[in-house]
Amino acid sequence: MGRRVAAYPPLLLAACVLVALVAAIPLAFVVGYTVSTGWDEAWRLLVRPRIGELLVNTARLTLGCMVLTAVLGTGAAWLVERTTLPGRRIWNALLAAPLAVPAFVTSFGWVSLTPAVEGYWGALLIVTVSYYPLVFLPAAAALRGLDPALEETARALGHGPWRTFLRVVLPQLRPAVLGGSLLVGLHLLAEFGALQMLRYPTFTTAIFDQYESAFNAPAANMLATVLVLCCALLLTAELRLRGRRRYARVGRGAARSLEPVRLRGWTAPALVALFAVVALALGVPMGSLVHWLVVGASTAFPVASLVTTAATSIGLGLLAALLTTALALPVAWLSVRYRGSVSTLLERSTYVANALPGIVVALALITVSIRFVPSAYQTTGVLLVGYAILFLPRAMVSARAAIAQAPPVLEDVAHSLGTRGATTLRRVILPLIAPGVGAGAALVFLAVVTELTATLLLAPIGTRTLATEFWSHSSDIAYGAAAPYAALMVAISAPATYLLTRRTRNTS
Amino acid sequence: MTALAIRQVTKSFGPVSALTGVDLDVPAQSFTAVLGPSGCGKTTLLRLIAGFAAPDGGTIAFGDQQVAGPGVFVPPQRRQVGYVPQEGALFPHLDVAANITFGLPRAARRSGERLAELLDLVELGRDVATRYPHELSGGQQQRVALARALAPKPSIVLLDEPFSSLDAALRLGTARAVAQALRAANATAVLVTHDQDEALSLADQVAVMRSGRLVQAAAPDVVYASPADPAVAAFVGAAVLLPGTVRGGTADCALGAVAVAPGAVEGAAHLLIRPEQIRILAGSDAVPAAEGVLARVGEVAYFGHDATVRLQLEPSGPEVVARVMGTRTPAAGERVRLAVDGVAAAFPANGH
């Protein structure tokens, strides 16, 4: 009956293997480096009080932030999606908005106002308000997708609203919330700018310092290995916790929406709480940014430099988006259209970068290019490859979803109606996959424009982007001079982020 | 004239044999239903006709032009077949008008004349033309899919279980409209289905398939009344199979003497009697032993328009099922007399 799996087309397969090899460079570097260093040397580099300190710092910040974002994200999602809270649409947009502000800009906003946020508690506050949308958005989408009949059934079986939430709603939110806080954890392990600014040392900031200031490559590389192990630990934990459970709606028909929970006397406290979140996440950093813009404008407003750095950032973003999409398309096509163990392996290999901090990818590319292609070292090409490896997962997710929207039966129909291969591609497949693939490219573009860590390490000397220029000014505590670059980054990423979050809202 | 001739077609997927030596003739402007359980190879057969796959052996010819065979393979875009897949598979990025005119040359796509014709043909309003597939009901989607297939005036229209995803209420109306549109377009149609009622009620010819073979191809009433073997008999409708002995046009079995079709087997046989052939005479106390076979009424399933009644033949015969009018349903436990209307089909007792 069903369609049979055809053999892998050799050219496509070769292209996909090439992409997988490129994506595997950072991991190969980490493994290769660790093996070649040897046990004794590794032991000498790792077993030091400094490492223990970093480990504790990184762990308590990551875990604290994961717990806080899970609670904050889920709570906010429930208030917005399931209650009679006034102004739910506006809250929805406001609560998702911090996603458009890079964490290092939020951090800049706070630290330029008061040095009191330096240290653990300040760092915890700032990363939490920067990253909770990563839980809020999937949790809200999951709440919207829940079948109200399940809750109604629980109520009919004698459960009160609170027990229903605990026993029926929360377990169904688990994949979304867990997935979201895992993402928060991975982001935190990779976070450099925000924490460096707050003088809160973690593995990532320590790697940067070792490499940039101490020029101690072996120590940096060894730290990178530990960082990758931490990421791997998080990924395994998530896979374990998620288990094999599946939460699917059984049966057909459109789900109705559930009667919202009446907040009554709790309306005011709920509003105050959400207002506080938005004020901490957006109000303070944006207010501070505006303040420094005004201050900076009174002294100097470097229009020429702003234009050239913005052009560089946008140009790099476009090139990286193009390259990443070009790399993602063959793998996505193979994994959707030719299911099998080989295509699954190739697909998975492109997701490895999900668990690799930008700093590790950058170190890997530096080492590999110096060792094997010295002429490529410190070129835009290597920077673009770095972006592509880092953001391949984003392009892959969109491309896969888009290709799945164009099932082979549509090609069959088109052929039966007399169109040939190329015409079918132009009239059926491209129009169907273009929006999804385009959205993936937009995501890559956004990520590149606000990328700091890998850009600092990989950009050729003389290449100044919005992020690096912002960074060099704010490192010199020239807050007024740094502010315009941050404002431009936010201005570029805000509209697109808004559109993309609206899209996920509609599709999930 | 034969529009489609399939000869000794075989197809296997790796070690799995999907079709073994299938022969089928489809007369021009007729409606043929390929009927079989899932996994019998009927969809594979359809895909071979459409040209989405090539047969391993045998030939397929459209009229006098061979489209698949040794050294010959005409690709789907040059076969001029209309294809209506399961669930319609409308192009989601195009509106109804663009979907229907997809296969037409550019000039005809613009004119809109053919579009109006086709909308009328499948009984859809003109206002539907600007809607997108997700704004249509399942039945409307299937009609658009048919209009799209008919637009380039194909030589053959292939329908792959087009109604299976529709609700029971929609299914009848849509199937009727589709069959009518096909007749109005003078199209030759091949429908693949696992639904006996659909096949029997829509088609001029029913081709029954089983495990990759074509078992019988004939008019619906022939397939129903004179099935090729007991399995076909049971597949196309409810059947009572009783052992018996045939002598000179009459069979002797647990239901008494029953007429069998002329030219049937002689001697030991399996007799096929349809439930609606079994007639319940009346309460046995009222009609004393004059005619018929004595039975006790068991379980009664009442459907309104009719009812099926399980009957235990007395004193210790087999259980049979009768279909009776809803207005004449006996009560469980009642003792009744049975007679058999019409002719039974007989199969040799040893063969199966």
Side-chain angles (χ1 to χ4, degrees), chain A residues 78-101:
Chain A
W78 184 78
L79 279 176
V80 169
E81 291 298 330
R82 275 299 160 87
T83 66
T84 52
L85 192 80
R88 289 164 40 179
R89 280 172 152 270
I90 297 167
W91 284 117
N92 226 325
L94 280 177
L95 286 165
L99 214 56
V101 184

Side-chain angles (χ1 to χ4, degrees), chain A residues 202-222:
Chain A
T202 63
F203 275 116
T204 302
T205 62
I207 293 171
F208 189 84
D209 288 342
Q210 289 287 344
Y211 184 81
E212 279 286 279
S213 346
F215 299 107
N216 187 348
N221 291 349
M222 210 57 236

